[in-house]
Amino acid sequence: MKLIIPENIQEIEPYQPGKSQEELEREYGISRSVKIASNENPYSPSPKIIEAITNALEGINRYPDAACHDLMASIAAKYGVEKEEIVVGNGSNELIEFLVKSFVKTGDEVITSHPSFLMYQKFVQIRGGINHIIPLKEMSHDLHTIINKITEKTRLIFIDNPNNPMGTAISPNDLYVFLSTVPEHVVVVIDEAYADFMDENLRPDAASLIRNTTNRCSVVFIRTFSKAYGLAGLRIGYGIMNSSLASCLHKVRQPFNVNTLAQVGAKAALEDDNHCRLILQKNRQGIAYLHDAFKQLNCISYPTQGNFILVDVKMDADVLYEALLHKGVIIRSMRAYGFPSCIRVTVGKDLENLRFVEMLEKCLGELRG
Ligand SMILES: *Cc1c(COP(=O)(O)O)cnc(C)c1O
């Protein structure tokens, strides 16, 4: 065999997903593990959502609706956009892929922040594009430096708002000023994976921003059903954008990219306001509880607009990660992201948060000496 692997593919480091509970329990021979590592929703979907998905099971001998008609109608009604302004994907990850496929050729440039969601850069590498990576400044996107990095070859800018893993959000005013400064040939992608958790007064007006593009750059908002809507396992997300951009993205997608159960589940989730309210309320309570616990354990936890918290544990985060694994708790160490003494913790159910805090206290007691 003589494999010829292109250089840009050789250079890609595979994405490391958080360890799964099954993996941990198998490797360490423990049970009742807690996973608060991947910012998933800790709650199962509501009975209404489960019922909608169950009812759709009988139809899965057929291909899904290629146009995602019913789901699109719900998204359009809820957010005041037209169907022509929506593209649905197999997770919002697929929207990132469509955007890079549509706009980036070999040698084109894309600007992202570090740390932020790692998938942006990987899709750019796959296309042979050039990543310009701008460090965060005071835990937020350094919008000024990003502007200065733009060239004729810049095609896309990815901004996760709120930022993962910091949990910080850009004020709408700063965002509007930024968007009015970016040249017209650039597409700015605002990744709103955690937008549902944000304070309402921090949410930008997406519907107006995708439309008013006279003398201004294009803006795309991408959102997911994996976090607040609790459907990470179904893989579904969407983007809203100017209809001319949406037409481009439709050209590069497979006709049946979103499966039937995902379409039906997402529509039911979007329409179950009570369930969503409950999730957001539990999240706020969990954050308050965890902040308080971190303070008592002499850790520094940072304010968050998401369902996760960045915490400075004042010791080697990789060492703490391993110690917590042995106690059946999976979190993320932020050492690989450039924060060697920080961890990222997802808000879990009450009992999971409690157990995590107990184990954290034990581990810190043992390790800090
Ligand atoms: C979790 C997350 C996503 C979600 O990706 P899906 O493919 O929709 O599951 C997207 N962006 C960021 C920043 C995230 O943290």
Side-chain angles (χ1 to χ4, degrees):
M1 186 171 77
K2 193 156 190 287
L3 267 188
I4 300 169
I5 304 172
E7 244 169 68
N8 58 315
I9 301 301
Q10 283 182 40
E11 282 168 5
I12 297 172
E13 298 213 15
Y15 183 82
Q16 294 285 354
K19 199 185 259 303
S20 79
Q21 282 169 279
E22 292 74 20
E23 238 179 304
L24 174 70
E25 296 187 0
R26 212 168 38 233
E27 281 174 28
Y28 290 66
I30 44 184
S31 56
R32 293 200 310 132
S33 65
V34 171
K35 184 187 181 198
I36 44 173
S38 299
N39 299 349
E40 295 146 326
N41 193 321
Y43 297 97
S44 297
S46 71
K48 267 191 203 168
I49 300 169
I50 302 269
E51 189 191 340
I53 295 170
T54 310
N55 289 340
L57 278 172
E58 271 197 11
I60 60 172
N61 52 315
R62 302 287 177 190
Y63 282 110
D65 174 10
C68 295
H69 175 275
D70 292 355
L71 172 61
M72 279 226 202
S74 290
I75 297 171
K78 183 154 180 160
Y79 296 108
V81 294
E82 304 292 328
K83 279 202 236 160
E84 292 72 25
E85 295 168 324
I86 305 168
V87 179
V88 187
N90 184 31
S92 57
N93 266 283
E94 200 181 34
L95 267 303
I96 301 167
E97 186 174 11
F98 292 162
L99 284 157
V100 175
K101 263 189 184 165
S102 298
F103 295 107
V104 179
K105 297 197 312 291
T106 308
D108 286 342
E109 299 173 8
V110 176
I111 304 176
T112 52
S113 297
H114 180 82
S116 78
F117 197 50
L118 289 172
M119 291 310 297
Y120 313 137
Q121 292 162 24
K122 292 196 195 298
F123 287 124
V124 173
Q125 283 176 293
I126 293 170
R127 292 293 282 178
I130 298 165
N131 280 305
H132 287 299
I133 300 163
I134 313 294
L136 296 180
K137 189 177 171 189
E138 289 160 9
M139 301 182 68
S140 295
H141 292 283
D142 185 353
L143 299 177
H144 186 72
T145 305
I146 290 175
I147 294 274
N148 287 334
K149 204 70 195 175
I150 297 172
T151 71
E152 274 303 308
K153 304 212 89 182
T154 306
R155 293 292 167 267
L156 299 171
I157 298 173
F158 282 100
I159 306 265
D160 49 355
N161 187 46
N163 169 265
N164 176 7
M166 296 292 150
T168 53
I170 304 169
S171 81
N173 195 52
D174 288 354
L175 187 66
Y176 298 146
V177 171
F178 170 73
L179 293 174
S180 63
T181 319
V182 174
E184 286 185 63
H185 70 279
V186 179
V187 177
V188 177
V189 183
I190 315 277
D191 181 346
E192 296 198 313
Y194 303 97
D196 304 282
F197 298 108
M198 269 166 111
D199 294 343
E200 296 221 2
N201 62 353
L202 284 176
R203 293 182 204 167
D205 183 352
S208 92
L209 282 170
I210 60 169
R211 288 175 189 159
N212 304 324
T213 52
T214 320
N215 302 323
R216 223 205 45 216
C217 64
S218 306
V219 191
V220 174
F221 290 85
I222 59 178
R223 296 178 184 157
T224 180
F225 288 94
S226 299
K227 307 286 160 62
Y229 287 104
L231 300 177
L234 281 181
R235 313 300 306 125
I236 181 161
Y238 64 96
I240 64 172
M241 64 206 79
N242 201 282
S243 54
S244 46
L245 269 100
S247 311
C248 294
L249 267 62
H250 281 300
K251 288 186 192 175
V252 304
R253 77 172 174 90
Q254 295 180 38
F256 305 118
N257 62 318
V258 184
N259 74 73
T260 304
L261 303 181
Q263 291 187 33
V264 166
K267 182 175 152 66
L270 207 56
E271 290 169 358
D272 194 344
D273 287 333
N274 283 335
H275 184 63
C276 195
R277 245 196 310 276
L278 187 77
I279 297 290
L280 300 184
Q281 187 194 340
K282 293 304 287 182
N283 187 62
R284 270 191 298 275
Q285 288 169 358
I287 284 173
Y289 167 77
L290 288 171
H291 275 313
D292 203 45
F294 290 131
K295 200 166 156 196
Q296 290 186 27
L297 293 173
N298 196 22
C299 299
I300 300 170
S301 57
Y302 294 94
T304 183
Q305 291 292 329
N307 63 344
F308 56 89
I309 304 182
L310 184 82
V311 192
D312 188 341
V313 290
K314 301 187 189 167
M315 61 164 290
D316 186 326
D318 280 0
V319 173
L320 179 65
Y321 165 79
E322 269 301 325
L324 280 168
L325 272 189
H326 280 92
K327 302 213 183 311
V329 179
I330 315 172
I331 49 122
R332 281 284 178 116
S333 164
M334 289 291 117
R335 177 174 274 282
Y337 286 71
F339 295 81
S341 68
C342 289
I343 59 171
R344 190 193 69 195
V345 178
T346 308
V347 178
K349 290 182 186 171
D350 294 349
L351 278 177
E352 294 174 321
N353 297 337
L354 191 76
R355 210 171 133 76
F356 158 65
V357 169
E358 267 173 28
M359 294 307 156
L360 178 65
E361 184 171 11
K362 274 199 187 148
C363 289
L364 288 176
E366 288 165 20
L367 295 166
R368 277 180 179 160

